[in-house]
Amino acid sequence: MPKVSDAHRRARRDQIADAALRTFAAKGFQSTSMADIIATSGLSAGAIYGHFSSKQEIMYAVAARILGNRTAAVDELADAAELPTPGEMLSAMLRGLDHDLSDTQLLLQVWGASASDPEMHAVMLDVVGRLVDTYRAYLVRWSIRSKDMDEASAAAFADRLVPTMLGLAQGYIVQRALFPDFDGEQYLAVAGELLPR
Amino acid sequence: MPKVSDAHRRARRDQIADAALRTFAAKGFQSTSMADIIATSGLSAGAIYGHFSSKQEIMYAVAARILGNRTAAVDELADAAELPTPGEMLSAMLRGLDHDLSDTQLLLQVWGASASDPEMHAVMLDVVGRLVDTYRAYLVRWSIRSKDMDEASAAAFADRLVPTMLGLAQGYIVQRALFPDFDGEQYLAVAGELLPR
DNA sequence: GTCTATAGCCGGATAGAC
DNA sequence: GTCTATCCGGCTATAGAC
């Protein structure tokens, strides 16, 4: 049980996670040392271990936040009265990544870590699972409204399309993070033309 | 200059790279220790450092090989007399990944490492650059032959489509590596329907 | 070229004062 | 809750014999 206010605890955890996020993005999960996080956060070892029990826990917290950022973007539009087209949905989900590369780079780190760390894998599946659910529900509603599908064919349509749309998003992320000359606008334009509308 | 035959040197390097590849895929680049590679390869520390000057060099060699495996698949079909459709090309490029997850998992590791290690980034860009060139040349020829485009519009068409097609491939890789229930056949079927044909 | 053994370093986590 | 100081383990890379 907290000895200071919950708000303070929350703020400290965020301060630590923020510092960790910056160093993780710059140096990678594994090459970031606790000393790096300590220096960047302006706190001390003792302070940090009072809020996180290990470096791994910090990694998982950062990963969940980064993944959550993407779902937040989708959640907003999925409930809008004016349903966007699949192409617009894709753009909305990804546009937030362009201003700051940190999230994009970290997503690659999270994927890489998930391939060999079961706990990271579980964290990732949990957050992405919610994103997929939202996406799927949106596609069902969109195809019913805009394509006059009945419930059953809309569900089948969404089940088929979700992985491929998600794949387009993942490809965008890889290229945004790694290709110096990546043209995100063009990528999204082409994707929008390929996707149903 | 080698004191034994080039073939022997090559074989030893491959033996080391094979062992490293297996441990890298299982534990990740950074969590794999030289002791792991030593144990898996059946060689000794001295033997390994006689062929690679550092663990990083082993990583780069493995990365280049893994990426090269994908380009090899594309190279084969790009020169065929019977040009495949874009959807078939995508399938051909990715189908080799399904039997053994090692390559798929390692691709995620390579992407993650490329985000923070400039040398890995350079290795990756070099190999992927060749793949992109091949892909682009194929798309130019396909659109000329099957779509009756002139040279200029074929080039523009290919420039626009290559990143998105590559993105579909990258999405496939992420999901194959990380999603337990991933249905690769369906993914490729949907992608094939979206792509021009 | 390959082995064994080890040097030398660095990183995560803790102890104990405040 | 937070600080400083430090312990301990594990890691990469090398030394030196064969």
Side-chain angles (χ1 to χ4, degrees):
Chain A
M1 286 300 122
K3 305 207 173 169
V4 296
S5 75
D6 260 21
H8 182 247
R9 271 196 85 77
R10 203 78 62 85
R12 265 280 182 275
R13 272 183 73 96
D14 281 353
Q15 180 184 357
I16 296 166
D18 278 343
L21 188 152
R22 271 175 290 162
T23 56
F24 284 152
K27 310 181 66 166
F29 280 136
Q30 322 269 355
S31 304
T32 296
S33 68
M34 285 303 292
D36 292 327
I37 299 176
I38 289 163
T40 308
S41 68
L43 294 174
S44 65
I48 289 178
Y49 279 96
H51 291 269
F52 293 91
S53 65
S54 69
K55 182 184 158 186
Q56 295 221 342
E57 271 206 16
I58 303 179
M59 283 175 34
Y60 301 144
V62 168
R65 181 197 288 198
I66 295 298
L67 293 164
N69 286 347
R70 283 317 98 214
T71 76
V74 175
D75 285 347
E76 273 181 42
L77 274 89
D79 288 333
E82 279 295 319
L83 280 186
T85 64
E88 289 164 351
M89 195 68 179
L90 198 66
S91 298
M93 175 183 175
L94 296 169
R95 213 172 297 270
L97 290 173
D98 291 1
H99 305 295
D100 181 0
L101 269 190
S102 298
D103 279 27
T104 318
Q105 317 245 54
L106 273 168
L107 284 168
L108 297 199
Q109 308 268 355
V110 170
W111 295 341
S114 297
S116 56
D117 173 353
E119 201 159 345
M120 180 69 91
H121 190 232
V123 169
M124 186 274 303
L125 281 184
D126 182 53
V127 183
V128 173
R130 279 198 288 277
L131 182 146
V132 166
D133 290 342
T134 308
Y135 233 110
R136 193 182 166 287
Y138 149 75
L139 274 176
V140 167
R141 294 204 298 148
W142 177 81
S143 53
I144 290 177
R145 275 203 218 167
S146 305
K147 293 290 185 182
D148 282 325
M149 290 192 191
D150 60 81
E151 195 88 32
S153 25
F157 169 83
D159 282 337
R160 271 173 61 83
L161 197 55
V162 162
T164 312
M165 276 195 73
L166 187 61
L168 282 167
Q170 289 156 338
Y172 181 99
I173 289 164
V174 173
Q175 295 183 44
R176 165 66 71 209
L178 299 181
F179 296 177
D181 299 333
F182 178 60
D183 182 342
E185 290 301 323
Q186 179 182 278
Y187 185 102
L188 292 175
V190 174
E193 290 162 21
L194 296 180
L195 288 168
R197 54 209 147 119
Chain B
M1 285 301 121
K3 306 206 172 166
V4 296
S5 74
D6 259 21
H8 182 246
R9 272 198 84 77
R10 203 78 61 86
R12 265 280 182 275
R13 274 183 71 98
D14 282 353
Q15 179 183 0
I16 295 165
D18 278 342
L21 188 151
R22 270 175 290 160
T23 57
F24 284 152
K27 309 181 65 168
F29 279 135
Q30 321 268 357
S31 304
T32 296
S33 68
M34 285 302 293
D36 292 327
I37 299 176
I38 288 163
T40 308
S41 68
L43 295 174
S44 66
I48 288 178
Y49 280 95
H51 292 268
F52 293 91
S53 66
S54 69
K55 181 185 157 184
Q56 296 222 339
E57 271 207 17
I58 303 180
M59 282 174 35
Y60 302 144
V62 168
R65 181 198 287 199
I66 295 298
L67 293 164
N69 285 349
R70 284 316 101 213
T71 76
V74 174
D75 285 348
E76 271 182 41
L77 273 88
D79 288 332
E82 279 296 317
L83 279 186
T85 64
E88 289 164 352
M89 195 68 179
L90 198 65
S91 297
M93 176 184 174
L94 296 168
R95 212 172 298 271
L97 290 172
D98 292 359
H99 305 296
D100 182 0
L101 270 190
S102 298
D103 279 28
T104 318
Q105 318 245 56
L106 273 167
L107 284 168
L108 298 199
Q109 310 267 356
V110 170
W111 294 341
S114 297
S116 56
D117 173 352
E119 201 159 347
M120 181 68 91
H121 191 232
V123 169
M124 186 274 302
L125 281 184
D126 182 52
V127 182
V128 174
R130 281 199 288 276
L131 180 145
V132 166
D133 290 344
T134 308
Y135 233 111
R136 193 182 167 288
Y138 148 74
L139 275 176
V140 167
R141 294 204 298 149
W142 178 80
S143 53
I144 290 177
R145 274 202 218 168
S146 306
K147 294 289 184 185
D148 283 325
M149 290 192 191
D150 60 81
E151 196 88 32
S153 26
F157 169 82
D159 282 337
R160 273 173 59 84
L161 197 55
V162 162
T164 312
M165 275 194 73
L166 188 61
L168 281 166
Q170 290 158 338
Y172 181 99
I173 290 164
V174 173
Q175 295 182 43
R176 166 65 71 210
L178 299 181
F179 295 176
D181 299 332
F182 179 60
D183 182 343
E185 290 302 322
Q186 178 182 280
Y187 184 103
L188 292 174
V190 174
E193 289 162 22
L194 296 179
L195 288 169
R197 58 212 143 115

